């Protein structure tokens, strides 16, 4: 009896062990499967993410790189252009500045002379204008006077002004004679 | 034969009239100066011509025609018009000092005040008192201011 119980017990133990093992195996098999899938999934996801990330990163990088490149190129070009322009501009500006300074200096010198000349000319013009104005006034006064004299002297006969006539003719006698002799030749 | 031009014949119009009178003089009166026209009588008196012949008539015509074509012409504008004798005197001055055959065309402009404006074929001479006053208007004004 004891033996039978012992055998049954061993058998049960073995069965239990088998079950246990089986269970364990199942368990072990499930996680690996699970792991593999998940792993795969995860891996895939990770890899995908990585890829995406990498792609993105690479894209970004590429973009960045490109942008950098573009930027750099642009900037470089710009810089180059700018530099060139700046150089040229600088050169031109410098030249212009030099010329302007020279001109200003010359103008400053000329201005003194020009100012003096302008002053002199202005003074001369003013003096001339003044003289002309005075002359106009004088002429107007003279016209009035002469007109007045003509009014009061309108009845002066030939005898009263004969001396003036002959003295005037005498004063121009030589010129008259030369003129007449030339006309009759 | 040279003739002396009377100062009373101051203008070319008078010479033309004289020429006409000489040309129209009929042979019957050539020797009768009392029957000659006025201008011819005056001319004859100045030149002591007692009578004319056909030949002398022709010479006189030639002389007068030459005189008209060659005599210098002067235009004279005076402040006051001279009478006959005064004009003779004026003409005499020109023929004595300028040219013996000077012909004067005279007109009047009282604005001249005194003196004259004289025009030849090439020149104008303003010898008037008016222009003289204008030329010296500064002095005139100065004198007025200090009067």
């Amino acid at each position: 009896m004891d033996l039978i119980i012992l055998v049954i017990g061993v058998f049960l133990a073995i069965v239990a062990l088998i079950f246990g093992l089986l269970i364990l195996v199942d368990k072990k098999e499930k996680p690996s499967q699970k792991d593999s899938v998940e792993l795969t999934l995860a891996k895939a996801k990770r890899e995908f993410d990585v890829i995406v990330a990498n792609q993105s990163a690479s894209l970004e990088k590429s973009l960045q790189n490109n942008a950098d490149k573009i930027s750099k190129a642009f900037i470089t070009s710009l810089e180059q252009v700018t530099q060139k322009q700046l150089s040229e501009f600088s050169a031109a500006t410098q030249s212009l500045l030099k010329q302007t300074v020279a001109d200003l200096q010359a103008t400053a010198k000329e201005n003194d002379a020009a100012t003096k000349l302008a002053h002199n000319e202005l003074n001369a013009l003013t003096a001339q204008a003044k003289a002309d104005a005075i002359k106009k006034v004088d002429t107007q006064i003279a016209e009035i006077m002469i007109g007045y004299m003509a009014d009061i002297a309108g009845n002066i006969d030939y005898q009263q002004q004969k001396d003036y006539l002959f003295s005037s003719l005498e004063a121009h006698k030589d010129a008259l004679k030369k003129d007449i002799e030339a006309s009759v030749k | 034969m040279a003739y002396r031009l009377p100062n009373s014949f101051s203008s070319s119009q008078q010479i033309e009239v004289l020429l006409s009178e000489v040309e129209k003089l009929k042979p019957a009166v050539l020797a009768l100066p009392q029957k000659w026209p006025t201008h011819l009588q005056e001319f004859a008196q100045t030149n002591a011509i007692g009578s004319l012949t056909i030949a002398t008539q022709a010479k006189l015509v030639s002389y007068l025609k030459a005189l008209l074509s060659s005599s210098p012409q002067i235009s004279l504008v005076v402040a006051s018009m001279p009478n006959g004798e005064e004009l003779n005197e004026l003409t005499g001055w020109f023929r004595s000092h300028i040219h013996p055959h000077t012909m004067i065309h005279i007109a009047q402009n009282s604005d001249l005040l005194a003196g004259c404006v004289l025009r030849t074929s090439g020149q104008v001479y303003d010898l008037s008192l008016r222009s003289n006053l204008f030329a010296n208007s500064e002095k005139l004004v100065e004198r007025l201011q200090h009067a």
Side-chain angles (χ1 to χ4, degrees):
Chain A
M1 200 40 141
D2 291 336
L3 184 65
I4 299 170
I5 298 169
L6 180 67
V7 170
I8 296 171
V10 169
F11 180 73
L12 286 174
I14 296 170
V15 169
L17 183 66
I18 293 169
F19 272 112
L21 288 169
L22 284 171
I23 290 167
L24 284 171
V25 167
D26 283 336
K27 282 186 179 174
K28 279 186 181 175
E29 283 180 359
K30 283 180 183 175
S32 66
Q33 284 181 356
K34 193 176 176 183
D35 285 342
S36 66
V37 171
E38 285 180 355
L39 191 65
T40 304
L41 288 174
K43 187 176 180 182
K45 187 173 182 300
R46 281 198 298 277
E47 285 182 0
F48 180 74
D49 287 342
V50 166
I51 290 170
V52 169
N54 288 341
Q55 286 292 332
S56 299
S58 67
L59 279 171
E60 283 179 2
K61 203 170 184 181
S62 172
L63 283 170
Q64 282 182 353
N65 288 341
N66 288 337
D68 288 344
K69 282 183 185 174
I70 293 168
S71 298
K72 281 183 181 175
F74 176 73
I75 290 169
T76 304
S77 301
L78 186 61
E79 283 178 348
Q80 287 174 349
V81 169
T82 308
Q83 284 296 329
K84 185 181 177 188
Q85 291 300 320
L86 281 171
S87 302
E88 290 181 2
F89 178 71
S90 297
T93 306
Q94 284 181 10
S95 173
L96 184 61
L97 282 172
K98 280 182 184 175
Q99 186 61 42
T100 305
V101 166
D103 288 347
L104 284 171
Q105 287 173 344
T107 307
K109 287 180 187 174
E110 285 178 3
N111 270 340
D112 291 340
T115 303
K116 282 181 186 173
L117 185 64
H119 276 298
N120 291 340
E121 284 184 1
L122 188 61
N123 287 339
L125 285 170
T126 307
Q128 183 63 44
K130 197 175 172 183
D132 289 345
I134 291 172
K135 197 170 183 181
K136 278 185 183 174
V137 172
D138 290 348
T139 305
Q140 288 171 1
I141 293 173
E143 279 186 8
I144 293 168
M145 278 304 303
I146 292 165
Y148 174 69
M149 289 168 68
D151 286 340
I152 62 172
N155 293 325
I156 288 180
D157 63 15
Y158 179 83
Q159 278 296 324
Q160 288 172 299
Q161 54 94 43
K162 171 185 158 184
D163 289 341
Y164 183 87
L165 173 63
F166 278 100
S167 65
S168 298
L169 289 171
E170 283 288 339
H172 292 82
K173 182 173 62 178
D174 294 337
L176 279 168
K177 188 172 181 179
K178 208 173 180 180
D179 186 4
I180 294 296
E181 283 175 353
S183 68
V184 296
K185 281 181 181 176
Chain B
M1 184 180 180
Y3 296 96
R4 190 167 154 259
L5 192 61
N7 290 337
S8 59
F9 291 78
S10 60
S11 70
S12 55
Q13 286 87 348
Q14 289 167 304
I15 303 299
E16 285 172 0
V17 169
L18 177 61
L19 174 62
S20 176
E21 287 178 357
V22 173
E23 283 177 327
K24 290 175 184 175
L25 201 63
K26 292 183 178 165
V29 296
L30 286 176
L32 302 170
Q34 65 275 12
K35 291 192 177 180
W36 290 350
T38 313
H39 286 84
L40 181 54
Q41 282 194 21
E42 186 176 356
F43 183 83
Q45 195 172 4
T46 304
N47 290 276
I49 298 173
S51 67
L52 288 169
T53 63
I54 293 176
T56 54
Q57 180 189 24
K59 279 182 183 177
L60 183 55
V61 165
S62 296
Y63 168 79
L64 294 173
K65 284 182 177 179
L67 191 65
L68 282 172
S69 64
S70 65
S71 60
Q73 307 287 323
I74 288 178
S75 168
L76 200 67
V77 180
V78 291
S80 298
M81 203 63 175
N83 60 23
E85 282 186 20
E86 291 164 346
L87 183 56
N88 291 349
E89 184 185 15
L90 192 57
T91 306
W93 184 92
F94 275 98
R95 288 177 180 169
S96 300
H97 296 90
I98 307 300
H99 192 281
H101 297 150
T102 306
M103 298 292 172
I104 300 173
H105 301 271
I106 196 161
Q108 183 194 359
N109 184 356
S110 59
D111 288 344
L112 302 181
L113 295 176
C116 65
V117 174
L118 192 153
R119 286 184 177 83
T120 65
S121 59
Q123 294 279 350
V124 176
Y125 302 83
D126 192 339
L127 310 179
S128 67
L129 178 59
R130 183 187 182 87
S131 68
N132 196 5
L133 286 173
F134 271 113
N136 296 284
S137 59
E138 291 176 6
K139 290 181 185 174
L140 173 64
V141 172
E142 196 178 320
R143 295 192 74 161
L144 287 171
Q145 286 172 348
H146 290 96

